[in-house]
């Protein structure tokens, strides 16, 4: 009789180890297959995120530049333009007045005393004075009105430092209108210190901030 060798005894622990090893091998195979796809998906997501973030930054930058350009276009440039117009006319008035004083003095020195033709010689100088008075109310004061209108309509575009001078500008212009309407005497104006010196801080801020914002826009557009 041939002896039959007994079958090897397999324990439950050995079966469990084999199953676990098989599962690990399958997991490794799965990772090998799916890893490239996962990396590709992650790369796409990362690229999309970075692209979205870059686009958002570009949009915010463009909006910031546009706002600065709006401040220049609708507030600072018109305000400084009106200011320079008034300043140019005022400087010319002073220049003509000074030259006229010298010219009149020379005329008086050449004339015999008594100066019998005084009215004849003084007529063109009187016309110059009348022209200045007309120009004050026909052109210069309306330019100040435009400054007040621009400031009022575009107050939100001004810096807080500039906004603090709004009432001073309104005061200056309103007093001129009251004087023009003969509702306030010159002596009262003098007591109220109705002088453009009080507006110099505003003028300096407008000029300074106009230059600063223009530089910022130029730098950002060139970046």
């Amino acid at each position: 009789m041939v002896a039959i060798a007994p079958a090897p005894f397999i324990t439950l622990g050995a079966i469990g180890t084999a199953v676990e090893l098989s599962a690990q091998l399958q997991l490794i195979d799965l990772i090998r297959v799916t890893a490239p796809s996962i990396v590709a998906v992650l790369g796409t997501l990362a690229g999309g995120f970075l692209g979205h973030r870059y686009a958002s930054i570009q949009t915010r930058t463009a909006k910031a530049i546009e706002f600065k350009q709006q401040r220049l276009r609708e507030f600072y440039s018109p305000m400084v333009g009106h200011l320079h117009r008034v300043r140019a006319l005022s400087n010319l008035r002073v220049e003509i007045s000074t030259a006229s004083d010298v010219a009149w003095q020379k005329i008086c020195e050449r004339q015999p005393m008594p100066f019998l033709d005084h009215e004849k010689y003084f007529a063109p100088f009187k016309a110059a004075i009348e022209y200045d008075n007309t120009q004050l109310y026909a052109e210069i004061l309306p330019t100040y009105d435009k400054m007040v209108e621009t400031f009022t309509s575009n107050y939100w575009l001004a810096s807080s430092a500039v906004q603090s001078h709004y009432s001073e500008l309104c005061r200056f212009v309103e007093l001129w209108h009251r004087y023009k309407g003969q509702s306030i005497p010159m002596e009262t104006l003098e007591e109220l210190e109705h002088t453009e010196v009080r507006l110099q801080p505003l003028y300096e801020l407008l000029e300074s901030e106009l230059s600063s914002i223009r530089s910022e826009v130029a730098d950002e557009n060139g970046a």
Side-chain angles (χ1 to χ4, degrees):
M1 179 179 294
V2 178
I4 299 174
F9 181 75
I10 302 175
T11 65
L12 290 177
I15 295 175
T17 301
V19 171
E20 182 178 350
L21 179 59
S22 177
Q24 290 177 352
L25 291 174
Q26 291 178 0
L27 179 60
I28 291 172
D29 290 338
L30 179 63
I31 291 175
R32 287 174 179 172
V33 173
T34 60
S37 299
I38 295 174
V39 170
V41 170
L42 291 176
T44 301
L45 292 175
F49 173 76
L50 293 176
H52 175 72
R53 181 173 178 80
Y54 177 77
S56 298
I57 293 174
Q58 289 294 97
T59 300
R60 288 197 299 270
T61 300
K63 288 183 177 180
I65 294 175
E66 172 57 29
F67 178 63
K68 291 176 181 178
Q69 291 174 333
Q70 183 179 14
R71 296 180 74 195
L72 292 174
R73 182 174 60 251
E74 299 179 14
F75 181 74
Y76 285 94
S77 185
M79 289 291 286
V80 173
H82 295 323
L83 169 59
H84 284 189
R85 176 62 175 162
V86 169
R87 187 174 292 166
L89 292 176
S90 299
N91 289 342
L92 181 58
R93 284 158 60 92
V94 171
E95 184 180 354
I96 292 174
S97 177
T98 301
S100 296
D101 289 343
V102 174
W104 178 246
Q105 184 63 36
K106 289 181 179 179
I107 291 174
C108 292
E109 291 173 354
R110 291 197 301 264
Q111 298 302 314
M113 292 299 169
F115 191 172
L116 299 179
D117 294 330
H118 176 277
E119 292 297 327
K120 172 185 174 182
Y121 283 93
F122 189 70
F125 294 91
K126 181 179 180 181
I129 294 172
E130 291 173 350
Y131 182 94
D132 282 348
N133 292 336
T134 299
Q135 185 185 63
L136 173 63
Y137 296 117
E139 189 168 356
I140 295 179
L141 185 54
T143 303
Y144 278 116
D145 288 334
K146 291 178 182 178
M147 291 179 70
V148 172
E149 180 181 353
T150 299
F151 207 151
T152 302
S153 301
N154 300 287
Y155 185 88
W156 67 287
L157 295 174
S159 68
S160 57
V162 170
Q163 289 173 354
S164 67
H165 296 279
Y166 176 75
S167 60
E168 189 65 51
L169 176 63
C170 292
R171 174 185 183 274
F172 179 82
V173 176
E174 175 60 21
L175 287 175
W176 261 130
H177 279 290
R178 287 175 179 264
Y179 179 73
K180 177 186 177 183
Q182 299 180 344
S183 63
I184 188 172
M186 176 58 73
E187 291 77 10
T188 302
L189 281 182
E190 293 173 353
E191 290 296 323
L192 290 170
E193 297 182 355
H194 182 251
T195 170
E196 209 166 14
V197 171
R198 296 173 61 129
L199 291 176
Q200 287 306 312
L202 169 61
Y203 295 164
E204 292 172 2
L205 273 174
L206 287 172
E207 300 258 23
S208 174
E209 293 188 12
L210 171 65
S211 177
S212 177
I213 296 173
R214 287 180 63 184
S215 296
E216 291 175 7
V217 170
D219 290 344
E220 290 169 357
N221 281 330

